[in-house]
Amino acid sequence: MIEVPILINTVEPNHHPRLDDQRLHLAVPTKGNRSQSKDAQYHSFQQISTASMSDKRRDAYAPIKICPDITMTHPLLTWAQMAAYLNGGELIVLADSLMRRNAVQYRYGIQDFADLLDALPQKFRRRETCEKALLYMRENTDSSMESRMRIKLINTKMPELQGLVVNHPVAISESKTVYLDMAIPELRIGIEYSGRHHAEQWESDEERRTALTAINWRNFTANAETMNDEAKWSTFVTQLRLAFLEQQRTDGQTVASGDAPLGG
């Protein structure tokens, strides 16, 4: 199970009308297959469906039967179909969620998304958005908020933040390794999203931060309030800039310019 992404709440150019999150959503082959129901919203994705694929690709993305009376669209096809209802950032968040670290449920990889786009027609609505999302999605994340924070950081246009590594392992002792939500390994800087923690978790985080400092790592955390408050976010970014300069001076390193920032 994954969280529902944040839907576009207005009708924008090149998007379908907004999704009603209080109704059941049903995919049908053509508009003529729709019926009237106040409890359901019908969708026809003729260019983003198995019908648009070659015979040898069709079986790989066939609908999945989850019980005798219910069949769901293939998760990867659903991702491409949702491009009509999400901005570029949330399309990345949704892809990250399908590739999340999970020891129980099957998860996908970036190559699976690339293979899907290769199987679909060269021209379909929002293909460009899907292709751009492919450049920024990451495997092995842990939460949607971490993904949103990573995208927000990339959009600061700071070259050091263009190649953030997710869940980067750092050995803080001979017997213990911690995993940072995001990191710039060459500068030894970690960046993490902080959700609501119990007091014991806060103490653990302080011990973690102290251990990282002891091996010359700088670790920064932000929460939803920081991300949503323009002044607090600006302060957070400024602190990161200063840390980059300090770590570069310490290590005598320079950071090459990265990719262009994300669009909406």
Side-chain angles (χ1 to χ4, degrees):
M1 299 293 289
I2 61 174
E3 306 90 349
V4 175
I6 299 172
L7 302 170
I8 295 172
N9 58 14
T10 58
V11 179
E12 297 184 359
N14 300 319
H15 286 81
H16 289 296
R18 69 180 298 271
L19 289 178
D20 184 345
D21 57 11
Q22 300 301 310
R23 300 169 75 186
L24 176 67
H25 295 273
L26 302 173
V28 294
T30 66
K31 293 181 180 180
N33 294 102
R34 294 179 298 184
S35 64
Q36 297 298 320
S37 172
K38 65 179 182 179
D39 298 320
Q41 188 172 348
Y42 289 84
H43 309 275
S44 174
F45 300 99
Q46 291 173 297
Q47 287 189 306
I48 315 175
S49 67
T50 53
S52 67
M53 299 176 178
S54 65
D55 290 341
K56 67 177 182 179
R57 299 286 193 102
R58 198 167 291 153
D59 289 346
Y61 302 99
I64 299 170
K65 187 179 287 278
I66 57 177
C67 68
D69 298 320
I70 299 178
T71 302
M72 70 175 190
T73 54
H74 191 282
L76 293 177
L77 268 180
T78 302
W79 171 80
Q81 293 167 352
M82 287 297 292
Y85 303 98
L86 304 174
N87 63 31
E90 284 300 298
L91 194 62
I92 296 166
V93 171
L94 179 57
D96 280 6
S97 298
L98 290 169
M99 299 187 290
R100 195 172 290 170
R101 291 197 298 177
N102 193 312
V104 179
Q105 295 179 328
Y106 178 80
R107 62 183 178 85
Y108 297 97
I110 290 175
Q111 188 59 49
D112 294 313
F113 289 86
D115 291 343
L116 169 72
L117 294 180
D118 185 56
L120 291 172
Q122 282 305 302
K123 289 187 178 181
F124 68 82
R125 198 175 191 178
R126 303 279 283 173
R127 171 180 268 280
E128 184 177 349
T129 302
C130 291
E131 290 176 339
K132 191 169 185 179
L134 191 65
L135 300 175
Y136 293 95
M137 61 179 65
R138 294 292 181 267
E139 298 176 12
N140 298 316
T141 60
D142 287 323
S143 76
S144 293
M145 288 305 297
E146 287 175 20
S147 296
R148 293 186 181 105
M149 183 173 169
R150 186 182 81 249
I151 294 163
K152 191 173 180 68
L153 287 166
I154 290 172
N155 277 332
T156 62
K157 302 181 181 179
M158 294 168 63
E160 295 90 344
L161 293 170
Q162 302 308 304
L164 285 169
V165 178
V166 302
N167 273 313
H168 180 68
V170 178
I172 58 176
S173 70
E174 291 185 358
S175 60
K176 187 171 183 179
T177 297
V178 298
Y179 289 83
L180 302 174
D181 294 344
M182 289 158 270
I184 308 170
E186 63 271 21
L187 291 179
R188 295 199 293 277
I189 288 178
I191 306 171
E192 299 190 278
Y193 176 78
S194 176
R196 294 183 178 180
H197 295 325
H198 297 296
E200 309 87 70
Q201 181 63 47
W202 183 85
E203 291 175 2
S204 175
D205 288 347
E206 286 299 298
E207 292 173 2
R208 171 190 179 105
R209 188 176 294 107
T210 300
L212 287 166
T213 301
I215 57 173
N216 199 30
W217 270 80
R218 300 285 301 278
N219 199 36
F220 295 84
T221 60
N223 55 26
E225 184 179 357
T226 306
M227 291 172 61
N228 294 325
D229 185 297
E230 187 175 342
K232 290 181 179 180
W233 181 254
S234 179
T235 299
F236 180 72
V237 170
T238 299
Q239 291 171 342
L240 285 176
R241 288 182 189 275
L242 292 173
F244 296 158
L245 293 173
E246 290 172 4
Q247 294 293 81
Q248 285 168 357
R249 279 199 300 268
T250 300
D251 297 339
Q253 296 177 341
T254 58
V255 180
S257 178
D259 294 329
L262 294 177

